[in-house]
Structure formats: C-alpha cells, structure tokens
Amino acid sequence: MSKDIWIIDDNSKDQRKAYGASFVEEEAYDDILSHVECLNADSDLSFIEGAKCVCIHDSLEDYIDGYFLSESHIAKEHIIDYLEKNSIRYVCFSDGHSIPGVYDGYEFNLVQIKKSAFYERLAYFLNHYKDHSELQFHILAYGKNYVKELLAVNIKALFAKFSAKSPTEVLTLRDVMPDKREEPEYLKKIVELSAPSLGISYNDLLDFIEDEEITIKEFTSKINQILISASRYGKNTYTWK
C-alpha cells in the first residue's frame, strides 16, 4: 500500500540521526510515511504513484553496484520529472539550500530548504498532516511558528512601501496596494494570516483605510499588535476594532 508521504534520501552519511530524525528509520509514522535510500536511473518509480507528497534530497546520489556515486544524480532528475508530470507535490532539501525555504511561483512545491531545517521540522509537519490532513509546507519552510514568521515577512514588506512618509500623514489606499502587477498583496496576506480573530475582511479593511483617515503611525501600531499577538500565542488574537 502506497504511503501519503515519501522521503527519498540516500542518507549516505547517516545525517538523519544527527538531525534528530531517527524516527524515520524507526517507522514512528509508518501509517503515513515511508522512505527509500537506494535508487538509480533504472529504478521503477511506480512506488510513489498515488503519493500526496515526496520529499527528496536535492543532491540524491545514484546507488550503483552497492555504492553511492557522489557525481551521479540521474535518479533525482527522473523523480522530479515523474512528480511534475503526475502533479505530485514535492519538497527538495539539501545542505546547500537556504533558511527559510523557497517556493516555486505558485507555492505548490517547496523547491529549496536546508536539509538540517527539513529534518528538524519534519515531525511537526507530519503531526500536522495526521491531525488536519493538510500538507502545510510553511512548517517546513519557516518552522512550527510559521504564522508569526510569515506575518513578520509580510509586515516588513508592507511597511517598506511607505517608510519614506511621515508617521503623522494619513494612510492612503495607494500606500498599501501593490505598485506593480507582480507585487504580492502584503496586506491581504496579513489579514488572511490574522483571521478569524482580526474580525475584519480584507475588503472591509480597505474601506476602513479609505474612510477613516487613519495615520500611518496609528495603522502601523495596530498591525504591530497582530505580530505581538502571534509571537506570544503562535496565532493572532488581536481584534482590529
């Protein structure tokens, strides 16, 4: 029976143990998780058919004639092709990648995450999946307190848009809306991460900004209360009004 989540990692240096993830070998999550270490260009990949998610070492070494070949990574290329053709979500981890993680353009796949961070956060990711049947890649990308981390990233970017203005100036819609088509909607993301406790929708908040003549100082103070709340409780408990 195929498992929902697979880890494909040569683990040639037994790094999982060093990263506190020996539970993988111990089959602690065997109801949802399976793993494989030895693959090469000729391997049959049908074992991941029907998987919900595959986590793969981005420097996966091919296993040939009883040895891992550090300069050969053909199996990894075949696996990524298979996953993309079958629309299976995936995570790529490697020691050379960054913290926090990096998504593809649609946040469908986590294409880069540092290997140590991946394994240190893996149990939280698996527990969340068991409890909610949801692949929450933000846990792998930012850690178990991902709400706080994502709020911090989006708040910093939002505030930068009007940092040159005086705190006593009235905030305008132009200050908070994207300047370019490809720019993320930072305020919208903040509202989504703060729901439901924030008690106001994104569109209603835009109406509030347009109608109430709130100063930049007042606005940033209220937004900062959201981050303070998330830092204390792991989620927002602050109400806008």
Coordinates of all heavy atoms in Angstrom, one line a residue, residues 10 25-26 38 60 63 71 85 90 93 95-96 101 124-125 151 156 158 166 179 214 222 228-229:
D10 N 19.4 9.5 0.1 CA 20.5 8.5 0.2 C 21.0 8.3 1.6 O 21.4 7.3 2.0 CB 21.6 8.8 -0.8 CG 22.0 10.3 -0.7 OD1 22.7 10.7 0.3 OD2 21.7 11.0 -1.6
E25 N 13.7 6.0 10.4 CA 14.1 4.6 10.4 C 13.3 3.8 11.4 O 13.0 2.6 11.1 CB 15.6 4.4 10.7 CG 16.5 4.7 9.5 CD 16.7 6.1 9.2 OE1 16.4 7.0 10.0 OE2 17.1 6.5 8.0
E26 N 12.9 4.4 12.4 CA 12.1 3.7 13.5 C 10.7 3.5 13.1 O 9.9 2.8 13.9 CB 12.3 4.4 14.8 CG 13.7 4.5 15.4 CD 13.9 5.5 16.5 OE1 12.9 6.2 16.8 OE2 15.0 5.6 17.0
C38 N 18.1 3.9 -1.7 CA 18.9 3.4 -2.8 C 18.2 3.4 -4.2 O 17.4 2.5 -4.4 CB 19.5 2.0 -2.5 SG 20.4 1.9 -0.9
L60 N 20.6 13.9 -4.3 CA 20.5 12.4 -4.2 C 21.5 11.7 -5.1 O 21.6 12.0 -6.3 CB 19.1 12.0 -4.6 CG 18.8 10.5 -4.6 CD1 18.6 10.1 -3.1 CD2 17.5 10.2 -5.3
Y63 N 22.7 5.0 -6.6 CA 23.2 3.8 -6.0 C 23.5 2.8 -7.1 O 22.5 2.2 -7.6 CB 22.2 3.3 -4.9 CG 22.8 2.2 -4.1 CD1 23.7 2.5 -3.0 CD2 22.3 0.9 -4.2 CE1 24.1 1.5 -2.2 CE2 22.8 -0.1 -3.4 CZ 23.7 0.2 -2.4 OH 24.2 -0.8 -1.6
E71 N 28.9 11.8 -7.8 CA 28.9 12.7 -9.0 C 27.7 12.3 -9.9 O 27.5 12.9 -11.0 CB 30.2 12.6 -9.8 CG 31.4 13.0 -9.0 CD 31.3 14.4 -8.5 OE1 30.9 15.3 -9.3 OE2 31.7 14.7 -7.4
K85 N 5.0 15.5 -13.9 CA 4.1 15.0 -14.9 C 2.8 14.5 -14.2 O 1.7 14.5 -14.8 CB 4.7 13.9 -15.7 CG 5.8 14.4 -16.7 CD 6.4 13.2 -17.4 CE 7.5 13.7 -18.3 NZ 8.3 12.5 -18.9
Y90 N 6.0 18.3 -4.1 CA 7.3 17.8 -3.6 C 8.1 18.9 -2.9 O 7.8 20.1 -3.0 CB 8.2 17.2 -4.8 CG 8.6 18.2 -5.8 CD1 9.7 19.0 -5.7 CD2 7.8 18.3 -7.0 CE1 10.0 19.9 -6.7 CE2 8.2 19.1 -8.1 CZ 9.3 19.9 -7.9 OH 9.6 20.8 -8.9
F93 N 15.3 19.2 -0.5 CA 16.1 19.6 0.6 C 17.6 19.3 0.4 O 17.9 18.3 -0.3 CB 15.7 19.0 2.0 CG 15.6 17.5 2.0 CD1 16.7 16.7 2.3 CD2 14.4 16.8 1.7 CE1 16.7 15.4 2.3 CE2 14.4 15.4 1.7 CZ 15.5 14.7 2.0
D95 N 21.9 20.4 2.0 CA 22.7 21.2 2.9 C 23.0 22.6 2.2 O 23.2 23.5 3.0 CB 24.0 20.5 3.2 CG 23.8 19.4 4.2 OD1 22.9 19.5 5.0 OD2 24.5 18.3 4.1
G96 N 23.0 22.6 0.9 CA 23.4 23.9 0.3 C 22.2 24.9 0.1 O 22.5 26.0 -0.3
G101 N 12.7 28.4 3.6 CA 12.6 27.7 2.3 C 12.2 28.6 1.2 O 11.7 29.7 1.4
Y124 N 7.0 18.0 13.1 CA 5.8 19.0 13.2 C 5.0 18.9 12.0 O 3.7 18.9 12.0 CB 6.4 20.4 13.4 CG 7.2 20.6 14.7 CD1 8.5 20.8 14.7 CD2 6.5 20.6 15.9 CE1 9.3 21.0 15.8 CE2 7.3 20.7 17.1 CZ 8.6 21.0 17.0 OH 9.3 21.2 18.2
F125 N 5.6 18.8 10.8 CA 5.0 18.7 9.5 C 4.1 17.4 9.5 O 2.9 17.4 9.1 CB 6.0 18.7 8.4 CG 5.5 18.4 7.1 CD1 4.7 19.3 6.3 CD2 5.7 17.1 6.5 CE1 4.3 19.1 5.1 CE2 5.2 16.9 5.2 CZ 4.5 17.8 4.5
L151 N 3.9 36.5 9.1 CA 3.4 37.8 9.4 C 4.6 38.8 9.4 O 4.5 39.9 8.8 CB 2.7 37.8 10.7 CG 1.3 37.3 10.7 CD1 0.8 37.1 12.2 CD2 0.4 38.3 10.0
K156 N 7.0 43.5 7.3 CA 8.2 44.3 6.9 C 8.1 44.8 5.5 O 8.4 46.0 5.2 CB 9.4 43.4 7.1 CG 10.7 44.1 6.7 CD 11.9 43.1 6.9 CE 13.2 43.8 6.6 NZ 14.4 42.9 6.7
L158 N 5.3 45.4 3.8 CA 4.2 46.4 3.7 C 4.7 47.7 4.2 O 4.5 48.8 3.6 CB 3.0 45.9 4.5 CG 1.8 46.9 4.6 CD1 1.2 47.1 3.2 CD2 0.8 46.4 5.5
S166 N 5.9 60.6 6.5 CA 5.9 61.0 7.9 C 4.8 60.1 8.6 O 3.8 59.8 8.1 CB 5.5 62.4 8.1 OG 5.2 62.7 9.4
D179 N 2.2 48.1 -6.1 CA 2.6 49.1 -7.0 C 2.7 48.5 -8.4 O 2.4 49.2 -9.4 CB 4.0 49.7 -6.7 CG 4.0 50.4 -5.4 OD1 3.0 51.1 -5.1 OD2 5.0 50.4 -4.7
I214 N -7.0 57.2 8.9 CA -6.1 56.7 9.9 C -4.6 57.1 9.6 O -4.2 57.1 8.4 CB -6.2 55.2 10.1 CG1 -5.3 54.7 11.2 CG2 -5.8 54.5 8.8 CD1 -5.5 53.2 11.5
K222 N -1.4 49.3 15.0 CA -2.4 48.2 15.0 C -1.9 47.0 14.3 O -2.1 45.9 14.8 CB -3.7 48.7 14.3 CG -4.4 49.8 15.1 CD -5.6 50.4 14.3 CE -6.8 49.5 14.3 NZ -7.4 49.4 15.6
I228 N 2.7 41.0 17.6 CA 3.0 40.8 19.0 C 2.1 39.6 19.5 O 2.6 38.7 20.2 CB 2.7 42.1 19.8 CG1 3.8 43.1 19.5 CG2 2.7 41.7 21.3 CD1 3.4 44.5 20.1
S229 N 0.9 39.6 19.1 CA 0.0 38.5 19.5 C 0.4 37.2 18.9 O 0.5 36.2 19.7 CB -1.4 38.8 18.9 OG -2.3 37.8 19.2

